[in-house]
Structures are given as C-alpha cells and as structure tokens.
Amino acid sequence: MTNPVIFKYKLTGPGVAEGMLGIGDQSVSYLITNTGNPLADLLRGMVSLVFDPSHLWDEDNVHQIEWYGDEKSYKWILSTHDGDIINIKVTEYTDFFDDSTGTLRINQFCKLNEFYPAIIIELDNFLKNTGLLNYEQKWQKDEFPLTYFLILKKILLEKGLWNGDKTRKGTLDEEIDILMI
C-alpha cells in the first residue's frame, strides 16, 4: 500500500522554495520565501507533538506553523488527541493578515506513522542532494534545522519506519568527509 501523504520541497532560487503537500484527495502547492524559517517551524511542530504530549492530560496538542510567500501565505495547524492520529489543516491566504482571504486547502486526518515518514524521507533526500553548506547559501537565511530533523529521524528509526539507504552518495557525504580530515 502506498502512503496517502505526499510531501515535496525544493529550493528553486535564492531564498525561494516550492513544493506541495498532498494527503488523501486534498493537496496544496506552495511557493515560499525566506521571510521565515519554514522547515524549522514544521519540524519543531512535529517534534512538539511527540515530546510535549498534552493530549495525555486531556489538553489540546496543537502546533501552528506559518509559511510566507510573496503572493500567498500558508497556515498549517497540526493537532492530535491521542498521539497517533494527526489532524493536518493547511489554509492558503492571499493576504495573511486578513482571515477572510483564507481558503482551507487541506483538512485531513492521518496516522503519525504516515505523515512523519513522508516529510522526513523527502527532507533526507533533499539534504543529501543539497547539502548543509549549499542550503544556507541557496536559502540565504538560517541554517537547515538539523537537530529537529535528526530527532524525527531517530523517532522513525525507533518505530521501525526508516528504511534508509546506507550507500554514501551526494553532497552531504562530501561535507561529512571534510569533517573526517
């Protein structure tokens, strides 16, 4: 069975990224800029759903993420009531400061074990091909959120959801080789 979650992310120019998120039959494509730190915000939110389990105390476990583009902005809301099923809402705004311009693009429930691997596998491939040094040069603001990425990758490993390729290839491997010198 294929994963019902699809996530794409790539840098397309200095300080610009594009991609898409699809869950089930709903999707949103985005073009965002380095006005914020979208990957850090997303990964931090994903980590908080695991390590700040408010749902265990019958409280809402919610994390809001805001992504900004030149023409549109996106508000992600990740929430869980049980730590297993995540509700993902993504609203697209033509004017981020005017709620009336928002269009709900995604409002889906899926398992953490479907959502997290889709995000981390895409970012793992992205990082291996782009590299940490190139990321900062191309994004032109902030570093790749490596700590949050590694925490999430470790969670996937512990749950048996990671089937990584151990062959060395790509820009990131070259950068790791530099560390070994």
Side-chain angles (χ1 to χ4, degrees), residues 146-174:
L146 190 59
T147 300
Y148 295 115
F149 173 78
L150 291 175
I151 290 169
L152 291 164
K153 196 169 181 180
K154 183 175 187 284
I155 290 169
L156 296 182
L157 283 166
E158 289 172 350
K159 290 180 176 268
L161 298 171
W162 185 262
N163 296 322
D165 181 5
K166 293 191 182 223
T167 58
R168 295 191 49 149
K169 58 183 182 253
T171 303
L172 185 59
D173 289 318
E174 294 168 3

Side-chain angles (χ1 to χ4, degrees), residues 10-180:
K10 68 178 180 175
L11 298 177
T12 57
V16 178
E18 70 177 34
M20 69 87 65
L21 173 67
I23 303 172
D25 62 349
Q26 298 176 359
S27 67
V28 62
S29 295
Y30 54 83
L31 182 65
I32 54 177
T33 63
N34 61 3
T35 303
N37 194 347
L39 290 182
D41 294 341
L42 175 61
L43 298 180
R44 184 182 306 113
M46 292 169 62
V47 167
S48 76
L49 290 183
V50 174
F51 288 111
D52 297 326
S54 305
H55 58 275
L56 295 178
W57 299 278
D58 293 325
E59 297 175 6
D60 289 334
N61 196 349
V62 179
H63 195 82
Q64 182 173 303
I65 300 143
E66 297 170 353
W67 287 13
Y68 303 98
D70 286 337
E71 296 179 17
K72 295 180 182 177
S73 299
Y74 306 87
K75 184 183 294 183
W76 296 49
I77 298 175
L78 307 178
S79 62
T80 183
H81 295 292
D82 63 4
D84 182 42
I85 303 295
I86 299 174
N87 180 217
I88 298 109
K89 293 181 183 179
V90 179
T91 304
E92 180 181 80
Y93 294 90
T94 54
D95 181 349
F96 193 78
F97 301 104
D98 181 358
D99 286 343
S100 69
T101 68
T103 303
L104 187 62
R105 295 291 183 197
I106 296 177
N107 185 9
Q108 291 281 4
F109 289 88
C110 69
K111 291 183 175 270
L112 178 138
N113 293 348
E114 296 169 340
F115 183 70
Y116 281 40
I119 304 295
I120 298 305
I121 289 169
E122 172 68 11
L123 292 180
D124 186 68
N125 290 328
F126 167 79
L127 187 57
K128 286 176 180 171
N129 292 318
T130 303
L132 292 170
L133 299 174
N134 287 336
Y135 175 83
E136 188 164 359
Q137 289 175 345
K138 291 179 181 180
W139 188 241
Q140 297 184 343
K141 180 181 176 185
D142 300 317
E143 297 175 348
F144 185 84
L146 190 59
T147 300
Y148 295 115
F149 173 78
L150 291 175
I151 290 169
L152 291 164
K153 196 169 181 180
K154 183 175 187 284
I155 290 169
L156 296 182
L157 283 166
E158 289 172 350
K159 290 180 176 268
L161 298 171
W162 185 262
N163 296 322
D165 181 5
K166 293 191 182 223
T167 58
R168 295 191 49 149
K169 58 183 182 253
T171 303
L172 185 59
D173 289 318
E174 294 168 3
E175 292 173 3
I176 290 171
D177 287 342
I178 292 171
L179 289 173
M180 302 302 203

